[in-house]
Amino acid sequence: MFVSTYESAIDAKGRVSIPAPFRAELGGSSRIFLWQALDGSGCLEGGGEALMAMYRATLTRLAPQSDVRKVLVNRIIAGSADLKMDETGRIKLPEDLCKAAELDGRIKFAGNMDSFQIWNPDKHAAYNASMEAAAASPDVMAAFGRAYSEVLHQQGAGHYNGPKLVEGGEG
Amino acid sequence: MFVSTYESAIDAKGRVSIPAPFRAELGGSSRIFLWQALDGSGCLEGGGEALMAMYRATLTRLAPQSDVRKVLVNRIIAGSADLKMDETGRIKLPEDLCKAAELDGRIKFAGNMDSFQIWNPDKHAAYNASMEAAAASPDVMAAFGRAYSEVLHQQGAGHYNGPKLVEGGEG
DNA sequence: TAGCTGCCCATGATATTCCAAATTTACACA
DNA sequence: TGTGTAAATTTGGAATATCATGGGCAGCTA
C-alpha cells in the first residue's frame, strides 16, 4: 500500500526520483503509469502494473460503448503516460502532465492506498488544509464508523473483543 | 495493453510510424488492421492479429444470419484495411480511411486497451475536452467505484491487504 | 514510361543506460 | 546516548542505444 508523503525534486533533465518506499510497492517492476487525477484536484495520479491491471479489469466490466467507459478509458488509459524507471529509480515526467499539474522544481508524493499522487507543494498544502477542515465534520466520522462496522461484520467479528482485527495482517 | 497517447506524422509518401510502445504490443507481428470506429466519433480504430482473432471468435458466436452479425462483419471485417509494417515500423494509410477520419499531416495514436485509435489532432483535442467535462459527473466515478469493488471481490480480496492485486499480470 | 509500392540505409533528435559523486539514513559499538 | 562505519539513496552528468523521419533504389503496375 502506498502510504505517507514524501518530497522530491525535478532535475534539469525533467527527471524525478520515486521515493524508495513507493518503489518497493511496485513489486520489482520498473513500469509506472501517470495520469491526471479524475477529481479535478489538479494533481497527478500514478501506479504500477498491478494497478493498471486492476483498472483494465474494471473498465472491461463496463458496457463496451457506454459513456462511462469511454470517459474512463479516455482519462485513464489514453491519458496515461507509460514510463520506465531507470536503474536508480527515476522517471522522466512528460511535459504536458507537468504543465497540467503545475509541477516545477520541488514536488510532493502522497500515498493513496492502491495508487499515489504527485502534487505541486503549494497546492498540496492548500489541499491538506481543506481536508483538515473537512475532517471536523461529524458526517465524516459517522460514515467512517458505519463502514468500519460493516467490515468488522464481514470478517465474522460481530462484536469487537480484542486487538486482533483481521487474521492475516499485512507486513 | 495499448496505453497512453502518442503523436506521429504522415510523411510525403503517406507513411506513418507506429509508436514503438504500440509496436511492442503487437507481439512481433507486423500485421495491422485498421477500420472506422463504430461509435461515430470519426477516428480510426486498429489492432493486431491477436485482436482480430478475438473479434473473429466473437463474431462467430453471433447467430449466422442475424442483423447484428452482418452489421459487425461489414463494419469490422469488410471495412478493415489489412496492412503490413515495414522494417522501421511504418504503415501506409489507405486514402479512404484517411479521408473518412480527416487525417492529414500530423495524427494522434491513443491507447484503447485491446485496440488503439488514430485521430485527427483537432478532433482528438475536442474529444478530450468533452471527456474531461464528462469525467466531472459524479455518476462516472460512482460507476467506476462499483466496478472496481466488484473486481476486488472477485479476486477474493474482500479487504485489500497487500500490493499484489492480481494473480497473473499481463506482459 | 510514369507512378506507385515495398525495401533499404542514413541521420538527427530523443530517450535510456551507465558510471560516479554527494548526501542521507541505518546500524553497531563504545 | 553519542559517535563512527556501512549501506542505501539521491543526485549529476556522460556515453550509448533507440526511434522517428527523410530519401534513394529497384520492381511492379497501369
Side-chain angles (χ1 to χ4, degrees), chain A residues 10-26:
Chain A
I10 306 178
D11 73 11
K13 292 166 78 175
R15 296 179 301 189
V16 168
S17 273
I18 306 292
F22 284 11
R23 287 208 294 269
E25 284 301 316
L26 298 173

Side-chain angles (χ1 to χ4, degrees), chain B residues 23-31 49 85:
Chain B
R23 288 207 294 268
E25 282 300 315
L26 298 173
S29 162
S30 63
R31 204 170 174 194
E49 289 183 325
M85 284 193 299

